Amino acid sequence: MNHSTAPWGANSDDEDELDAREPWMWAGKRAFIFLIDATEPMFEKDINDSSHFEKCIKACTENLLKSVHRQDKDLFEIVLFGTSHVGQTAQPNHITTLLQSLDQCNADRIKDLLAILDDIDGFEKKHGHSNDYSLAEAFWHCLKIITNCTTTIYDKTIFLMTCNDNPHHSNPKLQNDTRLRVREIKNLDVDLKIIPFGLSFDMDLFYNEIYQITHNDPNDDNTEDTIIKSVIEVEDILEFVECPPKKRSTSRVLWSLGGDVQLGVAAYRFVKSTDPIPRKVKIERSKNAIVTSRVQAFNAETGEEVSSAQTSKAMNVGGETVTFRKEELKTLVEISHPGLILLGFKPMYTIKTWFHSKSPVFLYPEERLVKGSRTLFAALHEKCLAKKLVAICYFTMRRSGKPTLVALVPLAEKVEDKNTQYVPPGFVARFLPYADNIRDLKDQAVKCPHPDPELVSVAEQIVKKLKFKYQPKSFDNPRLQKLWAGIEALALGYDEPKETEDLTLPNNEVMDKRIDSLSDDFMSMAFPQGYNYNAVKKTSKDTDPSKPSAPKKAKIDLESMDMEEIAKKGFVEKLTADKLKQYLMTNGYKVSKMRKAELVEAVYSHLEVDQP
């Protein structure tokens, strides 16, 4: 195990579970600045009638949308260099700040970027081009945006997007100024990523040196080779600018090995909940304003108001009502202090698959809790791997948390080509059930029939034909995709949500080609002759064949009605946003930024008809 600083040890923070006595643990936010070249070559169209600049804005839009989906509250800004803007006090000459502030993504920001994509030529005419810019001043402006931000930032990244592989080639002073500014960027712990455009982009002319300054340690003999591929499509840009998820630790505790021997460890979750179910919000229908509610307790006998300090909690036990004060309840919940206590070691084979009680966590040494934790952790990790042992521990993750038994399974480090780590070394803490949690299934044993050897052979062939490499990252949650498509349509004013692809559905065409006639052989052998396995019986408990079916509702023909008749019948909501906009525009209304709810209200107001 490597004792040097590893990526899992960096940026570990959790705002909700930290102690005020340890200020280094407090979390911040991540800041991303897209520094985009806006000179004339970036606007040249390719064979697909798309320019490098257009692809940059598309990638930024996609990245901002993904940030909204992740709900990670990252900060974004877009800065252009090489524009014709001069004389502005807030920014250097030929530098333009697009989003005006380093802030979180919102609907207005995405709408602004979509407006640019709708009229790239108009945007180019408005901002113009100039080769009199200074790349050093562009970097300085990005640093100024970061330092002026009042929000606490723990991770800062600048993405430089350009097709010019040798900026300021005729001005050595400006090139030297750029090198000095890049060194300042590195000293301020700001990550600089270069995104080159065009197949002819030559890193050796200038940017190879910039890359070496930002990515290699001068005291380290093992310098990295500069391998940066030029981008062609939007997907290539997204690979560069993809913001990785935050490495937030769920807890940081001391691992007691016996006596006074302790080391610090941090726990990280492998998976997290990403299902943002929208909360119900009460609104006033006439004004579409959010209504706040307040809960007030009253004495059932006297009707007097009761404050929260005067209330207590109770539960019914054996017919008796037992009450608890808040202080008493707190002492009942806090069974043990946060920490990890070693109980002993067991062979790996003793930890069965069905012992799984909830999602495991990944443990990694936390040097800032106890100095030398990394060395002791590495020694335990190597010995457990060599002897194929797991450590059984008593684990309390946080204050007022439930103490649980865990099995610490050592996880070996795995690297790809060029020493790229894709599985970090550490311990996987698998939560074990207590005796009360285990169900006895001996009496529920099911007798399975013994299939014919020929049927088993056909099934084995089908399994072999349908094998594929499973990667969780290849499957998006279809429910989430559909939910966010609907939210985007409402927030950005789309008429219809974007179509989403359900990647969890099987590809029947490919599967049929692979197994060919094996499926027919399997079905003919598994089922008796004449059995129709395609027939599906549809029955319902509430269906009575003797009762006549309910008549269908007549379809409303809105095309044959005028708007006044539609409004009087209360069917305005059934019209599309385009039709509502067209009607209001003909009556002198400005509808460019109105949502559908506002359009409906405007139609009723114009016709002086009460809205149902």
Side-chain angles (χ1 to χ4, degrees), residues 269-467:
R269 293 200 181 277
F270 286 101
V271 294
K272 65 173 185 176
S273 176
T274 56
D275 205 351
I277 304 300
R279 295 178 300 168
K280 289 182 179 179
V281 179
K282 296 178 180 179
I283 61 172
E284 186 181 353
R285 186 177 181 87
S286 60
K287 298 180 181 179
N288 205 29
I290 297 175
V291 178
T292 57
S293 59
R294 184 172 66 92
V295 177
Q296 177 63 57
F298 293 91
N299 188 316
E301 296 177 358
T302 63
E304 295 180 356
E305 291 187 3
V306 178
S307 65
S308 58
Q310 295 175 300
T311 60
S312 59
K313 298 201 174 186
M315 64 183 299
N316 196 310
V317 181
E320 293 288 334
T321 301
V322 183
T323 59
F324 300 92
R325 294 196 306 271
K326 288 185 178 180
E327 295 79 12
E328 294 174 335
L329 194 61
K330 189 176 181 181
T331 56
L332 289 175
V333 172
E334 292 184 358
I335 300 174
S336 59
H337 296 290
L340 193 65
I341 302 172
L342 178 66
L343 301 180
F345 296 91
K346 296 287 288 183
M348 282 189 185
Y349 67 83
T350 59
I351 306 302
K352 307 300 181 184
T353 307
W354 55 270
F355 284 179
H356 174 88
S357 60
K358 67 176 183 178
S359 297
V361 295
F362 179 75
L363 295 185
Y364 202 77
E366 182 56 82
E367 193 76 12
R368 292 174 290 186
L369 283 177
V370 178
K371 228 175 185 182
S373 295
R374 191 180 297 276
T375 305
L376 184 53
F377 188 93
L380 285 167
H381 178 265
E382 290 174 7
K383 276 298 176 185
C384 286
L385 272 177
K387 296 191 174 184
K388 297 182 178 180
L389 296 174
V390 297
I392 307 298
C393 299
Y394 184 76
F395 188 23
T396 305
M397 193 173 289
R398 60 182 67 86
R399 293 188 189 93
S400 304
K402 296 178 181 178
T404 55
L405 290 174
V406 293
L408 304 188
V409 183
L411 187 66
E413 181 182 23
K414 293 183 181 179
V415 294
E416 295 177 327
D417 297 336
K418 302 172 185 175
N419 293 327
T420 303
Q421 183 190 81
Y422 70 96
V423 176
F427 282 100
V428 177
R430 292 182 56 185
F431 292 90
L432 304 177
Y434 287 112
D436 314 67
N437 304 123
I438 298 174
R439 294 180 60 196
D440 187 3
L441 302 178
K442 292 179 182 178
D443 297 335
Q444 300 180 22
V446 179
K447 293 183 179 180
C448 299
H450 296 286
D452 296 333
E454 294 181 3
L455 182 61
V456 174
S457 176
V458 173
E460 286 179 353
Q461 294 179 56
I462 292 174
V463 170
K464 287 180 181 179
K465 294 282 186 181
L466 297 181
K467 278 186 177 180

